[in-house]
Amino acid sequence: MFWSICLTDSYIDSINLHEIDKTRNLFELLDNVKNNQNLIIGDDTNFKNLYKLKDKIYKEKISPAYQAELVSIFAELWKQTFIENNSGSKSKFLNYDISNTDDYEFVENLSFKKITDGVIVSAEDTYFRDLSKENFEIIEDKKDTGIKFSELVKKSKEYFSSGIPKRQKNNLSEIGKIINNCKEVNFIAYNFIDKIYEFYEKELNHNIEFKEINKSKSMMIGTIYFLVNLIYENEIKHDKKNKTCLNIITPMTSNRKISNIDEIKKKLLEIFTPEKSLECSALKKLRDNGNQFFINVISRKDRRDISTMHTRGIFTDFCNVSTEWDELCWHSGRQITKVNEDLILDYSPNMRVNEIIALKNNEEICTKIKIF
């Protein structure tokens, strides 16, 4: 589980780095973000306030008590966000697809769209208080306390290094935050083809017409529907202009009975083509809105390559949720019925993930099946 604190004009404009209290509070905010894997900083679509903060730190005189520490910690976080902007990034800053042209309206939009957990403002700007809600906190930067007593910060410290808490359905909403600003979402599923065939053949043996099959009976299909729904929900929340590409990445099955890639492609298209998918209306909406969905089947020519794909989960350029299971949840297309017990959140996709992405991009060993 992770929480985000969004920057505002109110907070940034109130920072006077000559004052030891303001400098200490800013340092504590950045230090909490750096050392807590469950806490990040959010900003508007152009990182407007992050750039304003950068100018303050590098151009203004800073209180000597925190000067070296503040410059050092900000430089480290800044480097991670802008220089390492790739699949190995440890980024702790996230920009939302909303421009901050009016501070109050910006905060109101954030609370309404439910894409961040709280914002930090100047304690003097009391007019923000009416925007506080049960799941959205207005954190006032007071001279004497800073963010210490913020409910959001206290809650994040309960899970300081444990990642997503287990067996709670509402924690899957965290995956939506991971996806919310990513152009590419990669889901690695090791036994994808075998499980799809197992479901397909089981239903056909009961002589049921395929169009009448309740596809929610397949956990693997439910997981795909869950991801599709999250992408679509985030698209609505953000009014997204940049469309998302969903990639399912899986090795070719070792089952000799299922060896024809053209036959595999035919069955996958039959299951996931929007017009034939009665359980997931979001598929059609995503396609019509210009998003993309590919299933990438990796050849078993090299066993070493395939072995890296035992790393399962969702991976983006921001962070990932990994698991030992192929399913994230049991999902009917509209509703979660059970949650994977073994989800681990990490802000830094590891080298194995980079190797898998390289496999996906290798046309010699990857068959790319375009769903839409």
Side-chain angles (χ1 to χ4, degrees), residues 268-328:
L268 291 175
L269 287 171
E270 189 166 4
I271 293 171
F272 292 110
T273 296
E275 285 78 10
K276 297 181 181 180
S277 180
L278 304 179
E279 288 293 315
C280 189
S281 57
L283 271 171
K284 186 175 188 302
K285 293 172 183 175
L286 279 179
R287 183 200 62 185
D288 293 346
N289 288 352
N291 296 274
Q292 294 182 305
F293 178 15
F294 293 94
I295 298 174
N296 302 271
V297 183
I298 310 297
S299 165
R300 286 182 171 267
K301 290 180 179 178
D302 190 329
R303 288 184 177 274
R304 185 178 62 105
D305 286 344
I306 296 301
S307 68
T308 66
M309 301 189 72
H310 282 289
T311 300
R312 299 160 165 89
I314 300 174
F315 306 92
T316 72
D317 59 358
F318 173 55
C319 55
N320 65 267
V321 175
S322 60
T323 174
E324 292 299 314
W325 300 7
D326 283 311
E327 296 84 9
L328 298 171

Side-chain angles (χ1 to χ4, degrees), residues 115-279:
I115 54 176
T116 192
D117 303 284
V119 298
I120 184 165
V121 301
S122 169
E124 296 176 1
D125 295 333
T126 57
Y127 53 84
F128 286 102
R129 289 177 186 170
D130 67 314
L131 296 176
S132 276
K133 300 176 183 176
E134 182 180 353
N135 297 311
F136 184 82
E137 185 180 4
I138 299 296
I139 304 168
E140 296 183 344
D141 180 39
K142 299 177 181 178
K143 282 189 175 183
D144 52 343
T145 62
I147 65 169
K148 288 180 183 177
F149 300 108
S150 159
E151 290 301 316
L152 190 159
V153 173
K154 287 192 288 185
K155 186 183 292 186
S156 72
K157 287 184 176 180
E158 292 177 14
Y159 303 102
F160 191 82
S161 61
S162 59
I164 296 180
K166 297 180 181 179
R167 294 181 293 278
Q168 295 180 27
K169 288 184 182 180
N170 59 353
N171 295 328
L172 285 173
S173 65
E174 301 302 314
I175 298 176
K177 294 179 187 176
I178 293 172
I179 291 173
N180 68 15
N181 204 30
C182 294
K183 295 180 181 178
E184 185 171 279
V185 176
N186 299 291
F187 178 65
I188 290 86
Y190 193 82
N191 298 306
F192 180 76
I193 296 174
D194 292 298
K195 291 189 176 183
I196 291 293
Y197 263 76
E198 180 183 328
F199 152 75
Y200 196 99
E201 292 178 356
K202 179 180 177 182
E203 296 296 348
L204 290 186
N205 286 338
H206 287 82
N207 296 316
I208 301 173
E209 288 291 331
F210 188 81
K211 64 182 180 181
E212 298 176 1
I213 293 175
N214 181 356
K215 288 182 279 297
S216 65
K217 292 179 182 178
S218 166
M219 292 182 289
M220 179 61 75
I221 293 175
T223 291
I224 307 305
Y225 285 171
F226 169 69
L227 291 176
V228 168
N229 276 302
L230 273 183
I231 292 171
Y232 181 62
E233 287 169 9
N234 277 313
E235 185 178 81
I236 294 173
K237 285 180 184 178
H238 287 257
D239 303 321
K240 286 181 70 173
K241 296 178 181 177
N242 295 324
K243 300 307 177 183
T244 301
C245 179
L246 172 62
N247 286 294
I248 310 301
I249 306 172
T250 186
M252 181 64 176
T253 175
S254 58
N255 187 341
R256 293 184 179 180
K257 294 180 181 178
I258 314 169
S259 58
N260 189 321
I261 190 67
D262 291 329
E263 182 185 346
I264 291 172
K265 179 178 180 179
K266 179 181 177 182
K267 284 183 167 56
L268 291 175
L269 287 171
E270 189 166 4
I271 293 171
F272 292 110
T273 296
E275 285 78 10
K276 297 181 181 180
S277 180
L278 304 179
E279 288 293 315

Side-chain angles (χ1 to χ4, degrees), residues 27-40 73 76-77 80 90 92 156-157 159-162 347:
F27 174 77
E28 288 180 352
L29 171 64
L30 299 179
D31 189 56
N32 270 278
V33 170
K34 176 181 178 291
N35 293 306
N36 189 335
Q37 73 161 355
N38 298 301
L39 196 62
I40 63 171
I73 196 169
E76 184 174 348
L77 292 171
Q80 290 173 352
K90 299 181 180 68
K92 298 304 292 284
S156 72
K157 287 184 176 180
Y159 303 102
F160 191 82
S161 61
S162 59
Y347 283 103

